[in-house]
Amino acid sequence: MSENHNHDKLPIRMLHDRVLVRSDSPEGERRSGGGILIPATAAVGKRLAWAAVVAVGQNVRTVEPGDRVLYDPEDRAEVEVRGATYVLMRERDLHAVAAERLEGSEDSTGLYL
């Protein structure tokens, strides 16, 4: 049974309200603001993470590729494409979006995160 799987060479189009993102920080150890190393096994409160939007479905209205979004890393579905790991989610699962194009808009908080 010799079957040729070329899925990783096919163009990918996100469907409906799906958003494909690439996490800004890898899972595992991280450093606090003071430089203290925090191991991956340390118990911490619920922590949201930033990611860069790679692709969006045709029904996504608030984010565009290149934006940075805030999401809950516990509620995610990972997919590997050409050796890179991405997170697939619905637009409604995003908590915030950060992009230059939002500067001065009426719903922007004006905060610099």
Side-chain angles (χ1 to χ4, degrees), residues 26-37:
E27 291 295 316
E29 296 178 343
R30 61 183 189 279
R31 292 200 178 268
S32 70
I36 298 171
L37 184 65

Side-chain angles (χ1 to χ4, degrees), residues 10-50:
L10 296 174
I12 298 173
R13 177 184 303 161
M14 303 308 297
L15 300 176
H16 311 295
D17 65 341
R18 300 309 197 278
V19 179
L20 187 69
V21 301
R22 178 114 192 232
S23 181
D24 287 354
S25 59
E27 291 295 316
E29 296 178 343
R30 61 183 189 279
R31 292 200 178 268
S32 70
I36 298 171
L37 184 65
I38 302 170
T41 57
V44 293
K46 189 167 187 169
R47 184 179 181 93
L48 299 178
W50 287 101

Side-chain angles (χ1 to χ4, degrees), residues 28-111:
E29 296 178 343
R30 61 183 189 279
R31 292 200 178 268
S32 70
I36 298 171
L37 184 65
I38 302 170
T41 57
V44 293
K46 189 167 187 169
R47 184 179 181 93
L48 299 178
W50 287 101
V53 176
V54 176
V56 298
Q58 69 268 21
N59 295 340
V60 173
R61 299 177 300 168
T62 55
V63 297
E64 298 174 0
D67 290 351
R68 292 185 68 228
V69 293
L70 192 62
Y71 74 101
D72 183 354
E74 292 180 12
D75 299 329
R76 67 181 186 190
E78 291 185 352
V79 62
E80 187 173 320
V81 179
R82 295 185 180 161
T85 301
Y86 298 93
V87 178
L88 178 64
M89 62 187 68
R90 291 179 179 271
E91 181 181 23
R92 69 178 179 221
D93 295 331
L94 300 175
H95 295 279
V97 58
E100 292 289 331
R101 64 184 169 76
L102 300 176
E103 191 172 343
S105 68
E106 64 186 45
D107 61 346
S108 174
T109 65
L111 296 175

